Amino acid sequence: MKYYDKLIFELSKDGRTGYSLPENRWPDKEDGLPDVLKRTSSADLPQVSEPDVVRHYVNLSDMNFGVDTGFYPLGSCTMKYNPKINEEMSSYHGFAGLHPLQPADTVQGALQIYGELSGWLCALTGMSAFTLNPFAGAHGELTGLMIMRSYHISRGDSGRTRIIVPDSAHGTNPASAAVCGLEVVQVKSTAEGLIDIEDLKPLLDDTVAGIMMTNPNTLGLFEKEIHEIEECVHAAGGLLYYDGANMNALLGKVRPGDMGFDIMHLNLHKTFSTPHGGGGPGAGPVGVAGRLEHLLPEPVVTLSPETGKYVISGQPQGAGRISGFMGNFGVLIKAYAYILSLGKQNVRNVGPYSVLAANYVKESLKDSYKLPIPSLCKHEFVFDGLAKANTGDNGTEVTTLDVAKRLLDYGFHAPTIYFPLLFHQSIMIEPTETESKETLDAFIDAMEKIAGEAVSSPSILKEAPHNTPVSRPDETLAATHPVLTFRQRKSSDNRS
Ligand SMILES: *Cc1c(COP(=O)(O)O)cnc(C)c1O
């Protein structure tokens, strides 16, 4: 029996406690709380001892998988190892204890970090200014697109309401564009997985606000025609937006600013080593070219040349305020510590090592899995399912989902599956630069074993995972009817 078979949620025993409060020394004194705020019935919390609580939560955390417990090759979502020193830095009381309304004079150190981090991001991307205020990648996209719209409108060019997005784009791109009130126009990919310039050209007219791109794109391929794309879009009066959520492959090598992009966002919680998953916290800084600087959201942090002090100011022509105060400051500190600890030289190694790791895994597995686009990839690549598979006892053939489930039995997190939508059985793998050759070899070995099982014993895959606390949950039900209380599940909650 495994520990999780014993994991029960009803631990409460009447009268058991894990705390003790001091005696009320003034039993006769009014407590001053208005009656309406006073509880009239018990809060009905579980009555448990401290060891009960500690064991319960530690056991629960053991049921989880994280980048600290194993390899996490999630394509389009860089899950690199997050050095612990970053956590330590961001939890310093001097940072964590700051109040967001403190006068600028009393938080000069924090503002210096904001200013210096913006400067480093400019240096790494070739943009001329950054706001660190947005809370996530998608939030950065929305901010960037608002800047794009303001730019056109401020020049009296108000008919630009369409945005071009490649069919391989991350789902947040069209979603952010729609939230920003732009109409999404898809541009097709060529058979090699790159933007089809002949499809792009006729789309470019005076109703186009710009194009949103990722380079390397979602298939991990570098858009070789980026200069021609840039010329065409700019010639038509549009702007180029760069989705830099996964900047790993380029870090220290190539800069979106040099490719001609006007606006971009970064995901500090992917490329710059903040733990993510489970909903946050993140940061999606937005960088812009010089002619768009005045359109950034407020507040902005600048170093006054006269006083040598950092000041917080408004931005009258800008996109307004898009977040409370100045973003997720703790995440900014982690990115700052990460860049500082890598230093100039090692930042340059992130790109080459992540590209090497991806190509190594791709080349090692290309006989066992279908590789629709065989060219050299950047930080990630896509398989289109197994090369060979048989049918399980339930009469259906082994699919990408079964491979992903079986990987859990081998102790690896599954890659991204069924995305991008260009292929039916997509398996998208991004190993990252933080993994050793031994880890990559162990993963390759597991993937090969699974490919063998798909032929010799397909039912093992169909019923996988066999060793995890939860086997195959009903994902729709889990999302639409999450059970978030500690109380025992009723049979009507129905969970597998
Ligand atoms: C993750 C990701 C996003 C969205 O970032 P969030 O922080 O999840 O909003 C956007 N684009 C790409 C390419 C991504 O990988």
Side-chain angles (χ1 to χ4, degrees):
M1 186 150 102
K2 301 222 170 62
Y3 66 85
Y4 47 74
D5 293 329
K6 291 180 293 189
L7 190 64
I8 47 172
F9 285 76
E10 288 300 311
L11 295 169
S12 192
K13 282 277 173 294
D14 283 350
R16 189 168 288 169
T17 62
Y19 65 88
S20 66
L21 295 176
E23 289 274 300
N24 182 357
R25 282 189 282 158
W26 300 282
D28 304 327
K29 210 161 182 279
E30 259 303 310
D31 56 22
L33 265 184
D35 279 343
V36 287
L37 295 180
K38 286 187 188 165
R39 185 175 281 290
T40 52
S41 59
S42 147
D44 205 13
L45 296 172
Q47 303 185 47
V48 282
S49 68
E50 182 173 324
D52 287 341
V53 174
V54 169
R55 287 179 189 154
H56 182 70
Y57 282 106
V58 172
N59 283 330
L60 268 183
S61 76
D62 267 5
M63 292 167 69
N64 218 338
F65 191 98
V67 80
D68 284 355
T69 48
F71 182 47
Y72 210 133
L74 205 64
S76 188
C77 198
T78 312
M79 292 297 271
K80 61 171 77 176
Y81 175 74
N82 308 297
K84 297 300 164 255
I85 189 167
N86 305 348
E87 290 299 319
E88 201 179 319
M89 294 299 135
S90 74
S91 62
Y92 274 0
H93 181 70
F95 295 133
L98 293 178
H99 193 284
L101 288 175
Q102 267 176 248
D105 253 0
T106 68
V107 291
Q108 283 294 306
L111 297 179
Q112 184 178 349
I113 285 181
Y114 191 106
E116 287 183 0
L117 179 59
S118 308
W120 296 344
L121 297 183
C122 287
L124 285 166
T125 59
M127 307 312 281
S128 52
F130 259 91
T131 173
L132 309 182
N133 301 2
F135 291 128
H139 195 199
E141 289 170 23
L142 177 63
T143 307
L145 292 171
M146 284 160 65
I147 293 171
M148 189 185 278
R149 285 211 78 173
S150 310
Y151 167 75
H152 292 305
I153 291 169
S154 70
R155 297 163 64 248
D157 197 356
S158 55
R160 294 188 179 267
T161 53
R162 300 194 311 150
I163 182 112
I164 297 171
V165 181
D167 55 7
S168 67
H170 193 272
T172 51
N173 289 187
S176 304
V179 171
C180 194
L182 292 163
E183 184 199 334
V184 177
V185 185
Q186 257 197 16
V187 58
K188 286 204 200 75
S189 302
T190 61
E192 290 82 50
L194 302 175
I195 285 185
D196 187 339
I197 298 199
E198 293 319 310
D199 192 54
L200 173 66
K201 280 181 184 160
L203 300 175
L204 295 168
D205 58 23
D206 61 4
T207 66
V208 168
I211 187 169
M212 286 183 98
M213 282 179 67
T214 308
N215 194 19
N217 66 20
T218 304
L219 295 170
L221 304 172
F222 194 83
E223 298 282 356
K224 286 178 287 205
E225 310 294 339
I226 182 61
H227 282 308
E228 193 179 346
I229 296 173
E230 184 260 319
E231 275 171 24
C232 294
V233 175
H234 277 154
L239 295 182
L240 283 90
Y241 184 94
Y242 184 85
D243 178 343
N246 307 292
M247 258 278 288
N248 243 21
L250 301 194
L251 218 51
K253 283 279 166 197
V254 182
R255 309 190 312 166
D258 300 335
M259 294 183 223
F261 284 94
D262 305 286
I263 310 171
M264 69 172 292
H265 81 268
L266 289 165
N267 276 25
L268 297 189
H269 49 293
K270 287 180 184 164
T271 311
F272 294 92
S273 114
T274 276
H276 66 287
V286 171
V288 292
R291 67 198 153 121
L292 302 173
E293 256 181 61
H294 62 291
L295 298 172
L296 282 171
E298 59 187 22
V300 289
V301 174
T302 40
L303 183 60
S304 155
E306 291 91 47
T307 61
K309 288 196 166 180
Y310 284 90
V311 287
I312 305 172
S313 52
Q315 185 86 288
Q317 299 171 62
R321 187 180 265 275
I322 46 92
S323 58
F325 308 105
M326 274 164 286
N328 273 332
F329 188 60
V331 175
L332 307 184
I333 295 168
K334 288 177 214 185
Y336 184 87
Y338 173 69
I339 296 174
L340 207 55
S341 58
L342 281 183
K344 258 191 194 161
Q345 188 50 46
N346 285 321
V347 159
R348 291 210 171 91
N349 290 334
V350 170
Y353 280 119
S354 65
V355 170
L356 180 63
N359 281 285
Y360 179 62
V361 175
K362 170 173 74 81
E363 290 301 310
S364 305
L365 289 173
K366 69 178 182 189
D367 294 332
S368 311
Y369 294 83
K370 281 184 214 150
L371 182 63
I373 297 173
S375 46
L376 190 79
C377 67
K378 295 300 171 208
H379 58 299
E380 62 191 2
F381 63 93
V382 184
F383 285 132
D384 187 11
L386 287 151
K388 275 194 242 90
N390 278 335
T391 300
D393 294 340
N394 67 357
T396 59
E397 196 176 271
V398 171
T399 62
T400 279
L401 178 70
D402 305 320
V403 172
K405 294 292 183 193
R406 185 64 176 146
L407 258 177
L408 307 178
D409 282 337
Y410 284 98
F412 296 103
H413 195 279
T416 298
I417 55 171
Y418 299 113
F419 180 83
L421 307 175
L422 296 180
F423 312 111
H424 290 300
Q425 294 291 328
S426 290
I427 303 177
M428 190 179 190
I429 297 175
E430 178 178 358
T432 90
E433 78 288 359
T434 58
E435 299 305 328
S436 67
K437 180 165 181 297
E438 289 73 22
T439 303
L440 299 180
D441 284 337
F443 174 71
I444 290 164
D445 189 48
M447 287 289 280
E448 274 172 351
K449 283 201 178 107
I450 292 170
E453 289 171 350
V455 176
S456 64
S457 37
S459 292
I460 293 188
L461 269 72
K462 282 276 150 203
E463 284 148 30
H466 304 272
N467 307 332
T468 51
V470 177
S471 182
R472 293 204 184 192
D474 180 332
E475 287 168 12
T476 311
L477 199 68
T480 53
H481 291 95
V483 182
L484 301 175
T485 72
F486 71 92
R487 244 165 270 287
Q488 195 153 31
R489 292 191 294 272
K490 297 186 204 78
S491 54
S492 61
D493 290 338
N494 180 27
R495 194 184 102 167
S496 54

